[in-house]
Amino acid sequence: MKKNLDIDLRTYFGKQVSVHQLRSATQGLTIRHAERTYYQTPADEAILQEFDGRSGYLYSIELTLTKTMDIPIRTEQPDLHILYLMEGAGPIQLIDAHNHIICRLATERSCYLYLPAGDYIIRVSSGWSNIFGFYFDGGIFRDGNDKEFHFLEQVLTYYRSRSPQAIASVDFWVGPLTKVAIMHFCRNLKRGILSNEDFISRNIYRLIDISKKKVAMPNGNDYPMYYIHAVREHLVHELKEGNGIPSLEHIAADIQRSVRHINRLHKELFQITLREYTTTKIAELAVPMLQSGMSVTAVSNHFNYSDSSAFARIIKSKTGKIPSQWAEEKK
């Protein structure tokens, strides 16, 4: 979509520098194929990543600051935004041109925003912060599909009327499922491929759907059951999407837990290993696909099995039948 958000780091930092000149800033969130710019003063550093797709504009701002900083931003037209403080030593604030605070986010919190065209600042606390956000076509909320998003009622009213006043939704927790979804989204972006726009749309929808669940949740305490459910939900989502078995190492890194910790908790809570759970879900998903008329090869490829015999062994071990037998039992 047309870029209409300008994030001005130049006013504070001056000219860009090369990545090799940075002393301490590390790319906490990688947006694949993003345009990256790097900034540095004698005391502070910043990394800006921007990806402009037809279905949404994504950005990440990573800052290492010795004092509070105001980042000027400008929007060229009214849009819906989601702003995430993925991590931060202190809170951030979004402030309009009249010095009115639109929202205040603590670390691991997020909110929806309606921003009319105009000038704003993001006030960032000293220390290390990673801000992620995107804006998207608000037209996706139509035909009554916004009824489940009651917390967005006022934001959508302002957007649809093109109000001259900015507004923020209630804020919600950026938990492990949100982080895994964002990392996966950003890590797998492509350029110059038509299917990428469908990928962007589906992942924006997914993040919006996750936010609906988070609004009613408490703050981000480390609840073992929730963390494991987040991992399981992400695994099933990826299997349904045909992306194969996600890397547990990636998931663990995204939610800042060790693979050993995740495996131990899963075994304690469900009395089976995460690997056993994954193969069980593959069998559950594969059987109806085989019965629907898909070939054994197509279903095996859907789960990224290059060796169809390995796929057959899993189906046999979980169901008692080989894939071709299930394929013969068409619905």
Side-chain angles (χ1 to χ4, degrees):
M1 64 193 303
K2 180 181 178 182
K3 179 181 177 182
N4 60 68
L5 177 68
D6 179 59
I7 301 169
D8 180 12
L9 293 175
R10 298 175 299 276
T11 298
Y12 180 84
F13 285 98
K15 67 179 183 179
Q16 301 175 25
V17 299
S18 75
V19 64
H20 305 292
Q21 292 175 265
L22 299 182
R23 295 180 302 273
S24 59
T26 57
Q27 206 165 278
L29 172 65
T30 299
I31 303 179
R32 190 181 182 196
H33 297 300
E35 178 183 342
R36 295 179 179 84
T37 49
Y38 308 93
Y39 299 90
Q40 185 183 73
T41 68
D44 303 326
E45 295 184 339
I47 301 173
L48 173 63
Q49 301 178 79
E50 299 174 282
F51 185 95
D52 190 11
R54 186 176 181 277
S55 305
Y57 168 88
L58 290 71
Y59 62 90
S60 169
I61 312 169
E62 185 178 331
L63 298 152
T64 302
L65 303 172
T66 55
K67 60 182 179 181
T68 298
M69 172 188 173
D70 287 349
I71 304 174
I73 65 171
R74 179 171 181 78
T75 59
E76 300 295 338
Q77 68 181 43
D79 268 311
L80 289 179
H81 300 246
I82 307 184
L83 181 66
Y84 300 83
L85 180 54
M86 302 287 286
E87 293 184 61
I92 62 171
Q93 297 178 1
L94 180 65
I95 303 170
D96 68 15
H98 304 290
N99 209 34
H100 170 70
I101 297 175
I102 302 165
C103 72
R104 180 183 185 278
L105 295 177
T107 188
E108 295 188 322
R109 303 295 292 183
S110 177
C111 71
Y112 285 80
L113 298 159
Y114 162 69
L115 298 181
D119 295 304
Y120 305 87
I121 62 170
I122 300 176
R123 182 162 293 160
V124 186
S125 301
S126 61
W128 188 85
S129 298
N130 191 185
I131 300 165
F132 173 71
F134 59 87
Y135 59 85
F136 60 97
D137 181 6
I140 65 173
F141 293 107
R142 61 184 184 274
D143 299 329
N145 63 3
D146 58 346
K147 291 179 181 178
E148 296 180 342
F149 297 86
H150 56 86
F151 67 99
L152 289 179
E153 182 177 354
Q154 198 169 12
V155 173
L156 292 175
T157 297
Y158 276 49
Y159 170 75
R160 287 164 179 161
S161 67
R162 294 300 191 263
S163 170
Q165 181 179 340
I167 190 172
S169 73
V170 63
D171 66 299
F172 49 90
W173 180 33
V174 181
L177 181 57
T178 305
K179 288 185 177 181
V180 168
I182 288 173
M183 297 288 190
H184 170 78
F185 184 11
C186 295
R187 189 185 292 128
N188 291 282
L189 286 165
K190 298 179 177 67
R191 277 210 182 278
I193 300 176
L194 186 60
S195 61
N196 190 54
E197 296 306 327
D198 178 59
F199 174 82
I200 292 172
S201 296
R202 285 188 286 109
N203 279 273
I204 286 176
Y205 297 157
R206 186 184 181 204
L207 286 170
I208 291 171
D209 189 59
I210 290 172
S211 71
K212 177 180 62 178
K213 303 172 185 176
K214 294 300 183 64
V215 167
M217 290 190 65
N219 211 342
N221 296 321
D222 186 4
Y223 298 117
M225 181 65 83
Y226 180 76
Y227 272 82
I228 297 306
H229 273 297
V231 172
R232 285 161 66 102
E233 185 172 332
H234 181 67
L235 282 169
V236 173
H237 176 270
E238 292 301 284
L239 292 173
K240 287 181 177 179
E241 291 290 310
N243 296 325
I245 302 173
S247 162
L248 190 54
E249 287 74 16
H250 277 159
I251 295 174
D254 292 345
I255 63 176
Q256 299 179 335
R257 296 293 183 274
S258 70
V259 172
R260 183 178 179 183
H261 174 75
I262 293 171
N263 277 322
R264 179 178 57 80
L265 279 180
H266 192 278
K267 186 70 180 288
E268 288 177 3
L269 292 168
F270 297 102
Q271 289 73 57
I272 61 171
T273 66
L274 197 55
R275 178 180 175 80
E276 289 174 312
Y277 172 76
T278 302
T279 54
T280 298
K281 295 307 295 187
I282 288 173
E284 287 180 8
L285 294 168
V287 166
M289 294 168 70
L290 292 164
Q291 291 178 320
S292 72
M294 287 181 66
S295 70
V296 174
T297 300
V299 178
S300 177
N301 289 340
H302 176 88
F303 296 106
N304 280 2
Y305 278 92
S306 56
D307 182 0
S308 58
S309 61
F311 173 68
R313 284 194 298 272
I314 285 175
I315 302 302
K316 176 72 181 296
S317 68
K318 296 297 180 182
T319 69
K321 298 179 182 179
I322 60 175
S324 58
Q325 290 175 303
W326 285 112
E328 291 170 1
E329 297 182 13
K330 294 181 181 178
K331 293 180 179 179

